[in-house]
Amino acid sequence: GAVVSQHPSRVICKSGTSVKIECRSLDFQATTMFWYRQFPKQSLMLMATSNEGSKATYEQGVEKDKFLINHASLTLSTLTVTSAHPEDSSFYICSAEGRESGSPLHFGNGTRLTVT
Amino acid sequence: DAKTTQPPSMDCAEGRAANLPCNHSTISGNEYVYWYRQIHSQGPQYIIHGLKNNETNEMASLIITEDRKSSTLILPHATLRDTAVYYCIDCAGGSNYKLTFGKGTLLTVNP
């Protein structure tokens, strides 16, 4: 089945630094990937839609200059948290749609970001 | 905001069937019902989806009412590893669809 790989699974960084998270579709091409964020004991919240070869679409309230998304190929999307602060500590999860139209989204295993 | 409603929690005995209900009374004609689950500290796992017919795969069965306003996910023989938060989502699918997650149902399978 379709597999989405996310890296790193866990990262700790100091306040003010930037962190890049990678999301790869391993056995299929994904023109669209989605980035979610999940705080403890809460549900997943969609942050942005990443489109291959074009600018990402951000949800209301998500700062595009803080959460930089690059989707340069059909198998890779990256999320960079710039100038991270402790309130950015969260579980970040990407997802990608399978090859066939209407196929379900498959999710990566998430990245636990801790900003100290 | 999520358009579906689910009970916040359910318990099930190991080996028994787990029946998880979901209300999606505002579902549109072109929207599918998707079920995902999330085990603690992992990404959501796809379980099953359907439009109007009942569906079955190796993981579960999905029963959708005739009016499509509700559905039930059935895990036929629950195991301890099925303990997770289960999300029911209605979504049109297609080339650029977005899943909006609600709070889901925490299913606890007890030995």
Side-chain angles (χ1 to χ4, degrees), chain A residues 20 22-23 35 45 54 58 66 95 97 105 113:
Chain A
K20 180 185 285 188
E22 292 186 349
C23 179
W35 287 95
M45 295 297 296
S54 65
Y58 291 81
K66 180 167 183 62
S95 69
E97 184 182 0
L105 288 186
L113 170 64

Side-chain angles (χ1 to χ4, degrees), chain A residues 34 36 38 43-44 46 49 59 91 97 102-105 107-109 112, chain B residues 34 36 38 41-44 46 49 87 94-99 101-102:
Chain A
F34 302 89
Y36 290 81
Q38 185 176 33
S43 191
L44 286 78
L46 180 66
T49 302
E59 295 300 301
F91 192 49
E97 184 182 0
S103 59
L105 288 186
F107 287 79
N109 259 338
R112 175 76 57 192
Chain B
Y34 289 87
Y36 284 79
Q38 186 178 27
S41 294
Q42 295 183 24
Y46 166 76
H49 75 287
Y87 297 99
S95 62
N96 192 21
Y97 67 97
K98 300 185 288 190
L99 297 180
F101 286 79

Side-chain angles (χ1 to χ4, degrees), chain A residues 44-82:
Chain A
L44 286 78
M45 295 297 296
L46 180 66
M47 298 176 66
T49 302
S50 169
N51 302 296
E52 188 267 337
S54 65
K55 291 183 179 180
T57 305
Y58 291 81
E59 295 300 301
Q60 190 172 9
V62 178
E63 300 175 57
K64 61 179 173 62
D65 294 330
K66 180 167 183 62
F67 299 100
L68 300 179
I69 292 173
N70 185 286
H71 193 157
S73 79
L74 286 171
T75 59
L76 174 65
S77 175
T78 61
L79 169 69
T80 301
V81 183
T82 63

Side-chain angles (χ1 to χ4, degrees), chain B residues 71-83:
Chain B
S71 62
T72 301
L73 178 75
I74 301 172
L75 307 179
H77 306 286
T79 70
L80 299 179
R81 287 181 295 181
D82 291 324
T83 293

